[in-house]
Amino acid sequence: MIEIDSITKRYGETAVVDSVSMTIAPHTITVIVGTSGSGKTTLMRMINRLVEPTSGTILIDGADNRSIPGYELRRRIGYAIQGHGLFPHRTVAENIATVPTLLGWEKSRIAAKVKELLSLFQLDPAAFGPRYPHELSGGQQQRVGVARALAAEPNILLMDEPFGALDPVIRAKAQDDLLAIQKHFGTTIVLVTHDMEEAFHLADRIAVMDKGRIVQYAAPEEMLVNPATDFVETLIGAGERPFRLLSIGAVADAAEAGEAEGEPIAAASSQRDALSALLWSGREALPVVGADGARLGRVTLAGLARRAARPQ
Amino acid sequence: MKRLLPNLLRLAALLVLIAFLVQPALFEPLLKPLVQANAPAVYNQGSLLSLTLSHLATVFAATLAATVVAVGLAILVTRPIGAEFLPLSRSLVNIGQTFPPVAVLALAVPAVGFGEKPTLIALFLYGLLPIFENAMTGLSTLPPAVTEAARGTGMTAWQRLTRVELPLALPVILAGIRLSVVISLATATIGSTVAAKTLGEVIIAGLQSNNLAFVLQGGLVVAVLAVLIYDGFSALERVLSRRAGRV
């Protein structure tokens, strides 16, 4: 749990972050969105004290984050950034081993962890471990960057626009990987982005920042239905609302009893994907299948349309 | 294959140089046409090999000292705590560069006496600037994402310097050392005017006795050394920057 209490950061006269308070529940993904210069990155960087606040406190699991030296704090908190920031003179394996090495883990434990993480991110340890970062593709570098952030098994992972430099195809894959990883480790993730699509796809809770203040901190559904200010509404994009609503829900929740013809849709994919498949195939209904291939019923255009409507 | 010919030439130059230093008499027929009758064609007032080694030792010692001081200063002024010393450090190394080595020798002799010492001082001062400027560049132009990641992973200031910043700046620092070494190799010859044992002795002996062969062999040995050492450093830099993914 991260408890941020009236935290403020001033550079000279301007308050970049202005008296922000929020509580981030453990094992959730919180996405901080806002335009550039809204203070979202500064807010996140105060959690691991890459930026020292002017006033206010941040408690991590009840302990003030200033009770230990900054570098020790940062070894306990994973940190992944845009453009990955891999050390170019170190191999992939050495990069991932950075924090465990700083913590003085035994060699065998580090080697096992590196291997585990590389496999988890679908990179063959034998092939990729000894390579240098510049020999990898952008998507692979980004995965190694996240693997490095997770190497010391942190409870908290901070991510600063981690997928910003990726092309759309790889980005979607990286986001899904992140969701899977979060389920796997139960890590508390705080992610900063200016991409609303990304925010709605990943977040359990979204915090919208504007001019150093949090204007709304709510679950995605809540934010769609009741945007706190015009700014939030603009950010969401009024024309996107029904589709964003569908993108939050899984097909499994929209499944109805009955049979249907056509290419089946995975229960885990989003209702937005299902709508897209329905419209493209020109059908009224498509079958839904579970991860094991079992039929779970069908999803219909009419059903999705009801779900996309403004909740009363 | 593209590098084969230059490398063969370098190897040949090295072999000829070694042969000349160990057995200078073999080259007498080549140098004979350059001297008047009866004058010696090959330097005969001491061992060329020992002069070369002492020349190299002087350059090595001066460059090592200049590297330690210049890199140390560059590290200091690129830390937040030492940033205010940047103008002062720049002025100091610039004075070292603008002060002619001959003048340094003239001033140093009364203070420390004849021999190696004044030469070491002159070369040290003269060699500071290129190393300092390159170390500054190397340490202040690191990719921001990498330095950010070094902090974010919980490295202390010392760990960031030794594990990330210096290794990444190394190719650029080496380029500065390379320039400094080559300048020092040439400049060291004037040390012989104040009794330092360098290849300058051969050149000065040639000038005094109007012996073109002496001047030529002193000069050529220094030139070949400079070219080989320059190429050696360049190759090392290439290997390091390729490893660092900076090419």
Side-chain angles (χ1 to χ4, degrees):
Chain A
M1 179 135 86
I2 308 171
E3 293 161 273
I4 300 173
D5 185 18
S6 49
I7 204 98
T8 298
K9 178 65 187 179
R10 289 178 196 283
Y11 289 110
E13 282 300 293
T14 42
V16 181
V17 173
D18 191 2
S19 191
V20 164
S21 297
M22 66 192 282
T23 302
I24 294 165
H27 318 302
T28 61
I29 300 182
T30 300
V31 177
I32 307 175
V33 292
T35 49
S36 9
S38 60
K40 55 189 194 298
T41 299
T42 308
L43 175 64
M44 193 191 72
R45 283 158 56 96
M46 284 193 280
I47 296 174
N48 67 353
R49 283 175 60 201
L50 282 171
V51 172
E52 296 285 355
T54 310
S55 66
T57 53
I58 295 178
L59 303 184
I60 294 173
D61 294 329
D64 192 321
N65 71 350
R66 278 170 294 183
S67 57
I68 53 170
Y71 60 88
E72 275 185 35
L73 177 77
R74 289 190 279 275
R75 288 173 194 175
R76 296 184 191 177
I77 299 177
Y79 186 55
I81 52 179
Q82 177 170 18
H84 63 76
L86 293 176
F87 302 131
H89 61 302
R90 296 199 178 174
T91 63
V92 166
E94 287 165 346
N95 262 289
I96 296 176
T98 304
V99 185
T101 307
L102 290 172
L103 291 170
W105 284 17
E106 275 182 36
K107 276 211 168 73
S108 55
R109 187 176 167 203
I110 294 177
K113 190 74 204 175
V114 169
K115 212 172 154 195
E116 178 201 331
L117 281 166
L118 278 172
S119 313
L120 194 62
F121 282 91
Q122 297 133 40
L123 297 167
D124 175 18
F128 285 93
R131 289 201 200 167
Y132 284 92
H134 66 95
E135 300 172 297
L136 270 54
S137 73
Q140 291 165 342
Q141 288 172 340
Q142 190 276 338
R143 276 183 272 167
V144 175
V146 179
R148 178 176 67 182
L150 291 169
E153 298 165 5
N155 288 328
I156 298 170
L157 172 61
L158 306 179
M159 309 184 89
D160 187 0
E161 305 212 10
F163 311 125
L166 302 181
D167 67 59
V169 177
I170 301 174
R171 188 184 310 162
K173 167 94 170 69
Q175 289 166 350
D176 290 336
D177 285 349
L178 184 70
L179 288 172
I181 298 274
Q182 199 269 342
K183 256 196 199 105
H184 183 91
F185 289 114
T187 316
T188 308
I189 296 178
V190 181
L191 187 146
V192 162
T193 183
H194 58 251
D195 179 353
M196 287 308 281
E197 195 84 33
E198 182 164 282
F200 277 95
H201 183 42
L202 298 175
D204 292 309
R205 303 258 286 173
I206 298 177
V208 178
M209 279 194 82
D210 185 30
K211 301 189 186 81
R213 289 176 170 276
I214 291 198
V215 290
Q216 187 166 18
Y217 179 40
E221 304 84 350
E222 165 73 13
M223 192 165 284
L224 278 173
V225 180
N226 295 314
T229 64
D230 291 346
F231 177 75
V232 177
E233 201 164 339
T234 318
L235 209 57
I236 294 168
E240 291 285 329
R241 277 184 299 196
F243 307 110
R244 295 220 193 279
L245 204 53
L246 287 181
S247 73
I248 299 167
V251 169
D253 301 328
E256 304 162 12
E259 288 294 319
E261 293 292 308
E263 186 75 18
I265 297 173
S269 51
S270 77
Q271 292 169 13
R272 185 185 182 145
D273 294 341
L275 176 68
S276 168
L278 283 165
L279 291 173
W280 193 246
S281 62
R283 291 175 191 272
E284 292 290 324
L286 282 172
V288 176
V289 292
D292 51 0
R295 297 245 163 177
L296 300 176
R298 60 177 191 162
V299 59
T300 63
L301 259 185
L304 288 178
R306 270 197 308 281
R307 288 173 173 274
R310 171 179 215 147
Q312 298 304 316
Chain B
M1 278 316 278
K2 222 170 63 187
R3 291 249 173 84
L4 189 63
L5 187 62
N7 280 337
L8 278 179
L9 285 174
R10 284 183 195 114
L11 187 66
L14 181 66
L15 291 175
V16 171
L17 178 68
I18 292 171
F20 180 69
L21 292 177
V22 178
Q23 288 291 346
L26 291 177
F27 294 80
E28 200 168 352
L30 277 175
L31 295 162
K32 203 73 191 167
L34 295 171
V35 292
Q36 293 150 355
N38 301 328
V42 169
Y43 188 64
N44 56 359
Q45 295 163 30
S47 154
L48 274 172
L49 182 61
S50 86
L51 278 180
T52 305
L53 292 178
S54 134
H55 188 110
L56 285 174
T58 305
V59 170
F60 176 78
T63 309
L64 185 68
T67 303
V68 170
V69 171
V71 174
L73 269 181
I75 291 173
L76 176 73
V77 300
T78 48
R79 303 306 100 182
I81 197 171
E84 50 185 310
F85 295 109
L86 176 59
L88 178 68
S89 309
R90 269 231 161 98
S91 312
L92 281 177
V93 296
N94 273 314
I95 291 170
Q97 182 76 15
T98 45
F99 221 74
V102 178
V104 176
L105 288 183
L107 290 173
V109 167
V112 297
F114 284 93
E116 309 289 332
K117 282 183 198 159
T119 315
L120 283 173
I121 294 171
L123 294 183
F124 164 75
L125 289 176
Y126 211 46
L128 283 175
L129 182 78
I131 306 178
F132 176 78
E133 284 299 332
N134 274 46
M136 277 286 303
T137 309
L139 287 171
S140 55
T141 58
L142 297 167
V146 173
T147 45
E148 167 90 356
R151 282 190 73 205
T153 50
M155 292 192 188
T156 61
W158 175 252
Q159 287 164 340
R160 292 203 298 274
L161 177 67
T162 55
R163 299 185 186 195
V164 178
E165 296 174 21
L166 281 179
L168 287 181
L170 193 58
V172 188
I173 296 176
L174 274 180
I177 298 175
R178 165 166 56 94
L179 291 179
S180 182
V181 164
V182 170
I183 295 170
S184 290
L185 273 170
T187 313
T189 51
I190 63 163
S192 293
T193 57
V194 293
K197 289 194 75 65
T198 74
L199 286 164
E201 270 186 25
V202 185
I203 299 172
I204 290 169
L207 291 173
Q208 280 169 345
S209 58
N210 199 19
N211 186 329
L212 188 57
F214 281 13
V215 177
L216 201 66
Q217 47 198 268
L220 275 179
V221 171
V222 173
V224 173
L225 281 176
V227 168
L228 289 176
I229 289 174
Y230 184 95
D231 286 353
F233 267 101
S234 302
L236 189 59
E237 285 159 37
R238 269 200 304 276
V239 170
L240 286 173
S241 25
R242 198 174 306 135
R243 259 194 56 184
R246 273 195 165 193
V247 270

